[in-house]
Amino acid sequence: MDERAALERLGGRLPAAGDDCAVVEDLVLTTDMLHETTDFPAGVTRYTAGWRAVGASLSDVAAMGADARAALAVYAAPEFDEGLLEFVDGAQAVCEAVGASYVGGDLDTHEEFTVSTTAVGRTTDPVLRSGAAVGEAVCVTGSLGRSGAALRLFEAGEIERANDLFRFTPRVAAGRALRPHASAMMDVSDGLARSIHQLADASGCGFAVRTPLPIDESVDSVAEDRDDRRELGTFFGEDFELLFTVPENEFEAARDATDVAVTRIGTVVEDGISLDGEPLPDRGYTHG
């Protein structure tokens, strides 16, 4: 049973789950686990690992349109060395970038470098995945494919550039700015295609997506051809941008509400998921 099948099985037992964060009164809470073999390619520094691991949880807070308040991490490794301090430096830096505090966590020894992170945010009006309505605009923040490009650069030995691309700023400020306008929202951690399917399932609708998609310029330097570029931007995942829907008459206000680029990529329809009129596969990042 893979990750998706496990989540489907758990869904019936945890009816409150299903959004990027759990909502408890005015708090939003999320937790993530990352492993060296599946999440940190060879060459990732501990600083980047701290930034990225904590940033992944902060991205979930952003997807709810919440203020990010604090983050914690469990750090497990075969031994404790300078890498631990570098990890904490990265965790603190990404928290500072979004106005949150890194407040500690736990240490453990483990045969594989493994991190578990938790982030807490606050809002009285969270944006859920279930509010999209037919006729609304489908939009995404920023650009897609950075993580896919980073992986190619790690493989090519361009370690410094790859680490730069692997660190991202969680869209907390953008999520807050979009909250008054967005009808549904989630982060694109599993890739654009899979996230579109997840958002459609939650809202009981379909999406007609069209190109061009906002694929990051870094992809152009590593993609083998046009199809490879599309693969990295659409299916690879781990980009942590925000995918959201917004009523037509709110689109311009939503676009102007944030300093982050907002691109309209399609329209909410009755059913079906398509890209330029062709079925868009439900494929993306899956933990092993």
Side-chain angles (χ1 to χ4, degrees), residues 232-253:
L232 292 173
T234 309
F235 299 103
F236 184 87
E238 297 284 280
D239 286 317
F240 301 103
E241 295 292 349
L242 298 179
L243 172 69
F244 66 97
T245 56
V246 61
E248 285 278 3
N249 62 357
E250 291 279 321
F251 170 70
E252 290 188 7

Side-chain angles (χ1 to χ4, degrees), residues 13-276:
R13 300 190 179 198
L14 300 171
D19 279 287
D20 291 70
C21 290
V23 179
V24 181
E25 297 179 349
D26 64 342
L27 297 177
V28 298
L29 307 99
T30 185
T31 189
D32 295 280
M33 182 177 288
L34 294 87
H35 301 277
E36 187 165 26
T37 54
T38 55
D39 299 289
F40 301 121
V44 173
T45 65
R46 283 291 195 263
Y47 180 88
T48 295
W51 181 296
R52 188 172 180 84
V54 173
S57 290
L58 291 170
S59 180
D60 287 335
V61 172
M64 306 299 289
D67 293 310
R69 293 301 179 90
L72 307 93
V74 177
Y75 179 102
E79 60 181 4
F80 302 130
D81 52 21
E82 288 299 313
L84 170 60
L85 301 181
E86 294 170 8
F87 177 91
V88 171
D89 286 343
Q92 288 177 320
V94 72
C95 283
E96 290 172 2
V98 299
S101 298
Y102 181 71
V103 295
D106 193 19
L107 299 176
D108 197 1
T109 54
H110 194 278
E111 61 185 14
E112 178 187 15
F113 172 50
T114 300
V115 181
S116 179
T117 58
T118 297
V120 179
R122 190 182 294 274
T123 179
T124 57
D125 186 26
V127 185
L128 307 180
R129 297 182 180 184
S130 54
V134 173
E136 293 183 332
V138 185
C139 307
V140 68
T141 62
S143 58
L144 306 168
R146 280 173 55 102
S147 289
L151 182 61
R152 297 283 177 85
L153 292 171
F154 279 122
E155 293 170 347
E158 296 187 41
I159 302 303
E160 183 175 354
R161 186 179 172 207
N163 274 282
D164 286 344
L165 283 175
F166 224 45
R167 295 190 295 269
F168 64 93
T169 301
R171 300 303 192 189
V172 173
R176 288 197 308 261
L178 292 169
R179 184 177 63 218
H181 310 286
S183 55
M185 189 157 62
M186 66 180 293
D187 82 339
V188 192
S189 56
D190 292 336
L192 179 66
R194 177 149 296 164
S195 297
I196 284 172
H197 278 268
Q198 291 170 337
L199 199 65
D201 287 344
S203 288
C205 63
F207 292 110
V209 181
R210 60 177 183 266
T211 57
L213 300 174
I215 296 178
D216 195 82
E217 60 182 13
S218 63
V219 174
D220 294 326
S221 66
V222 301
E224 298 174 359
D225 52 32
R226 183 177 179 180
D227 288 342
D228 192 36
R229 182 177 185 271
R230 179 176 181 267
E231 179 73 20
L232 292 173
T234 309
F235 299 103
F236 184 87
E238 297 284 280
D239 286 317
F240 301 103
E241 295 292 349
L242 298 179
L243 172 69
F244 66 97
T245 56
V246 61
E248 285 278 3
N249 62 357
E250 291 279 321
F251 170 70
E252 290 188 7
R255 182 192 60 196
D256 295 341
T258 174
D259 293 335
V260 175
V262 169
T263 303
R264 178 172 183 172
I265 60 170
T267 302
V268 183
V269 295
E270 290 282 355
D271 53 50
I273 311 292
S274 64
L275 176 62
D276 291 335

